Amino acid sequence: MNFNSVIFLIYLPLVILIYWILPHKARWAFLLLASYFFYAYHNVFLIFLILGTTLVSFFAALGIQNSQKKGLKVFLLVLSLVLILGALFVFKYLDFAVTSVVSLVNLFGGNASYSVLNLILPVGISFYTFQTLSYVIDVYRGKFEAERHIGYYALFVSFFPQLVAGPIERPNNLIPQLKAIKKIDSECFSYGFQYLISGFVKKIVIADFLGVFVASIYGNIADASGASLLIATMFFAIQIYGDFAGYSDIAIGAAHLLGIHLTKNFDHPYLSKSVREFYRRWHITLNSWLTDYIYIPMGGSRCSRSRHLFNIMVVFLVSGFWHGASWNYVIWGLLNGGLICLEILLEKPLERFKNKTEIRKKVVNFISVPFTFIIICCTWIFFRASDIQSAGLVYARIFTSFISGNGLEYFTSATTVLRVVLTLAIFVFIPYLPRLNFKPDEEGNYNTKQIFSTLTLYVSLILMIGFCWMSQLASNGESGFIYFQF
Amino acid sequence: MIVAIIIYVVAFLLALISFVWKRLSLVSSICAIAAMLAGGLYCYFMQYDLVYSILGFGSIALFLLIYLVIRGGKREL
């Protein structure tokens, strides 16, 4: 089920209402059923895969905890990892892996062939696979006690707000919250509502609107001018933020309305002063997962310089593969890893250069944010283009045919330009919406201006979301989320 | 349609000035916001392109967002 669908607007209030009416003992069962309904809404067969992953990880973790022999613990860990990652491999990477091998064989004069299986990619498989892996590994490491109630564990894997596109939750954050007795809390509702509105604005008002232009330009790269490709790439950077951060906000908001706090996934990423900082603020739960389960076990930064850089490259290679079974995602990952390695290598010379005079320091600080944004935009080209050749063509046209070509005629209409300006301005300010505090002063009085402005803000945002949604349904139909494909 | 856009821009600026410059009363900002809201609804009910209504509501939302982010209280997340 999509968050930006009509059915979700009926589903969410109904789930929240029934959840709070039910006694605590029955809530987990209801939420589990609601989550499975949410997941199976478009394809019932996907339930069997998530059930299989749940059962394998649940019993493997119990076995690991109960067994006395180290060898058996290792065996159960490896077996569960093979089964869980095996399912991910078959559904997501099998076609890609075999096709790549066949191409390689044919490149060296062989005559191999393979008919693609075209299996359905189960929505959110990468997200819940990583969530179950962290559970089994944490139990093996002794960081978390295996859950004995299969219902709560199944709910941890399939909790509907974060099931299909994260945030990737850790067992020690989510399971205790699912078990805790909760009471209706006005603060939780206020937070939840603010996050929901913020998420819908990011998705429907920002991402879907800019996405139309991006799709039209990237759909015909050969005829597009370099300038329009450059604008489309910058718009894509904002679109993907709006799409993914919007999903995360809706997930966090929906969970808040159920009294559950999910982990923050974005923290103003485009205000970063370096690529390293960007990945500490972008998709925080995936990057912290990769840090805890791959980067640190490999030695992290507490090793030789070359080993440290190698570890970074491995993490970003995995991140690239995680995003999709395609070489352009791999190159995107490696490009980001390479940029971070370069930053590490240039860190000390840059510090020396910066600290020589106060003016230099100010200039470097001033340009670092837009510079990082441009660098990140350059990497997004590989993410957005359908294949490596198309990405190469985008770079080529930006540098060789900046003016000649199509695309800029989109900006000849005054209303379009105004809407673009409005959308970009809202993009700058909307991340602050969940942080706005509408509490009375110390004497318990509300400021008239604040009440008026707050109410009007929400009414106008809801109206704007509604009208943008109507406009989009009329022209393109319901749009999905970019990260659903991962 | 150009009239609607002019109303939005003027009302947006009026609202911004009246909120930032304290000498202007709350009434003027309410009037400005009402103008944008009315413009958005008018364009919708007259069955003009939805973009005119979106611009109207978007202007109010943007202005209030800027105002509340600058003047409003913030909480740590």
Side-chain angles (χ1 to χ4, degrees):
Chain A
M1 190 186 297
N2 262 352
F3 280 168
N4 56 338
S5 62
V6 179
I7 185 78
F8 184 73
L9 292 185
I10 302 163
Y11 169 88
L12 183 65
L14 212 62
V15 168
I16 292 164
L17 186 74
I18 298 172
Y19 175 80
W20 287 113
I21 289 172
L22 285 173
H24 172 70
K25 281 184 180 177
R27 282 178 185 167
W28 70 266
F30 169 70
L31 264 189
L32 185 63
L33 277 175
S35 297
Y36 282 154
F37 173 77
F38 178 89
Y39 194 57
Y41 185 71
H42 285 304
N43 192 339
V44 178
F45 295 104
L46 298 182
I47 281 292
F48 296 109
L49 190 64
I50 199 168
L51 270 174
T53 308
T54 305
L55 291 173
V56 166
S57 51
F58 177 77
F59 287 111
L62 272 182
I64 288 168
Q65 186 168 281
N66 294 337
S67 66
Q68 303 297 321
K69 293 175 184 172
K70 174 89 178 160
L72 186 60
K73 279 178 192 271
V74 174
F75 171 74
L76 285 171
L77 175 72
V78 172
L79 183 70
S80 60
L81 295 189
V82 167
L83 289 173
I84 295 167
L85 287 172
L88 179 67
F89 179 79
V90 169
F91 283 96
K92 193 167 176 177
Y93 300 105
L94 185 63
D95 276 346
F96 169 71
V98 181
T99 313
S100 299
V101 170
V102 166
S103 306
L104 196 71
V105 169
N106 291 343
L107 194 73
F108 287 102
N111 190 21
S113 65
Y114 170 71
S115 48
V116 178
L117 292 175
N118 271 332
L119 292 173
I120 297 169
L121 177 64
V123 178
I125 188 168
S126 307
F127 289 91
Y128 69 72
T129 297
F130 269 35
Q131 202 156 299
T132 48
L133 286 181
S134 69
Y135 170 74
V136 179
I137 296 168
D138 280 0
V139 170
Y140 174 76
R141 286 174 174 173
K143 278 187 174 179
F144 189 78
E145 209 167 293
E147 176 55 51
R148 294 190 178 276
H149 192 298
I150 193 161
Y152 280 117
Y153 180 69
L155 185 55
F156 159 71
V157 179
S158 63
F159 183 50
F160 79 89
Q162 47 86 241
L163 172 60
V164 284
I168 301 168
E169 285 296 334
R170 303 293 176 85
N172 55 357
N173 179 45
L174 192 52
I175 294 178
Q177 287 195 72
L178 295 172
K179 287 176 157 182
I181 298 170
K182 288 177 279 290
K183 287 179 182 168
I184 293 181
D185 174 11
S186 64
E187 184 79 352
C188 251
F189 268 76
S190 143
Y191 258 133
F193 184 68
Q194 279 172 276
Y195 267 112
L196 275 182
I197 296 287
S198 161
F200 280 116
V201 169
K202 283 176 185 168
K203 169 65 182 159
I204 295 171
V205 176
I206 299 170
D208 288 348
F209 170 62
L210 296 179
V212 174
F213 175 71
V214 176
S216 72
I217 298 296
Y218 268 83
N220 195 4
I221 296 169
D223 293 333
S225 65
S228 62
L229 281 166
L230 192 66
I231 295 170
T233 304
M234 287 182 177
F235 279 10
F236 177 69
I238 298 169
Q239 183 202 351
I240 195 164
Y241 169 77
D243 195 285
F244 194 21
Y247 180 90
S248 295
D249 280 2
I250 298 169
I252 291 170
H256 262 298
L257 295 174
L258 298 165
I260 289 160
H261 300 243
L262 296 182
T263 315
K264 188 164 70 169
N265 223 6
F266 290 86
D267 183 17
H268 304 83
Y270 289 126
L271 292 181
S272 307
K273 290 179 176 174
S274 66
V275 179
R276 251 190 305 177
E277 192 188 341
F278 179 81
Y279 282 101
R280 280 198 291 266
R281 290 161 169 255
W282 177 274
H283 204 172
I284 297 167
T285 53
L286 173 69
N287 292 315
S288 70
W289 195 101
L290 293 170
T291 304
D292 290 350
Y293 297 100
I294 296 177
Y295 180 69
I296 292 174
M298 286 178 76
S301 60
R302 292 180 179 177
C303 48
S304 67
R305 170 63 68 90
S306 54
R307 175 71 197 205
H308 178 204
L309 300 182
F310 174 75
N311 293 344
I312 290 170
M313 292 306 287
V314 170
V315 164
F316 277 90
L317 180 70
V318 174
S319 175
F321 268 119
W322 181 89
H323 278 88
S326 170
W327 287 112
N328 48 326
Y329 290 116
V330 177
I331 292 179
W332 169 79
L334 291 175
L335 203 59
N336 280 296
L339 285 168
I340 289 178
C341 291
L342 200 66
E343 274 182 6
I344 291 169
L345 292 172
L346 294 175
E347 196 172 24
K348 280 183 182 167
L350 189 68
E351 279 297 312
R352 276 199 297 273
F353 170 81
K354 203 170 88 172
N355 293 333
K356 269 190 179 171
T357 62
E358 198 59 32
I359 295 171
R360 277 189 190 181
K361 205 173 184 176
K362 281 181 182 169
V363 170
V364 171
N365 282 339
F366 181 74
I367 62 164
S368 53
V369 172
F371 184 72
T372 306
F373 178 72
I374 291 166
I375 294 284
I376 291 295
C377 284
C378 292
T379 65
W380 282 135
I381 290 174
F382 278 99
F383 200 95
R384 178 60 182 83
S386 51
D387 48 48
I388 299 170
Q389 287 79 7
S390 306
L393 191 59
V394 173
Y395 284 112
R397 289 200 67 81
I398 287 174
F399 289 108
T400 58
S401 313
F402 195 74
I403 300 296
S404 63
N406 303 327
L408 289 178
E409 65 278 0
Y410 183 79
F411 298 100
T412 49
S413 149
T415 48
T416 307
V417 173
L418 266 178
R419 193 169 166 193
V420 167
V421 171
L422 187 74
T423 306
L424 296 180
I426 288 177
F427 156 72
V428 172
F429 286 97
I430 201 68
Y432 295 99
L433 184 70
R435 287 184 63 188
L436 296 178
N437 197 4
F438 306 112
K439 278 187 174 174
D441 60 20
E442 286 169 1
E443 291 165 3
N445 299 321
Y446 282 95
N447 180 318
T448 327
K449 254 186 187 179
Q450 204 181 33
I451 295 173
F452 165 71
S453 48
T454 307
L455 285 175
T456 321
L457 172 66
Y458 282 109
V459 170
S460 54
L461 282 176
I462 290 168
L463 281 170
M464 198 185 182
I465 293 167
F467 276 67
C468 287
W469 199 18
M470 282 198 290
S471 157
Q472 177 205 320
L473 285 176
S475 52
N476 308 315
E478 204 175 275
S479 70
F481 285 83
I482 296 172
Y483 264 69
F484 274 23
Q485 61 187 301
F486 308 135
Chain B
M1 290 310 102
I2 197 77
V3 179
I5 291 172
I6 291 169
I7 289 173
Y8 295 151
V9 173
V10 172
F12 182 82
L13 292 174
L14 179 66
L16 201 64
I17 293 165
S18 54
F19 262 85
V20 176
W21 192 27
K22 288 184 178 174
R23 284 189 197 179
L24 271 175
S25 68
L26 183 66
V27 179
S28 63
S29 58
I30 292 174
C31 290
I33 288 170
M36 289 188 271
L37 194 67
L41 290 174
Y42 175 78
C43 290
Y44 174 66
F45 288 115
M46 291 305 285
Q47 297 186 334
Y48 295 144
D49 194 325
L50 283 175
V51 73
Y52 297 105
S53 304
I54 292 168
L55 285 174
F57 304 132
S59 311
I60 310 170
L62 174 64
F63 152 67
L64 289 171
L65 259 178
I66 295 172
Y67 168 73
L68 286 168
V69 167
I70 294 169
R71 287 283 171 88
K74 292 180 193 70
R75 59 184 165 198
E76 283 304 312
L77 292 181

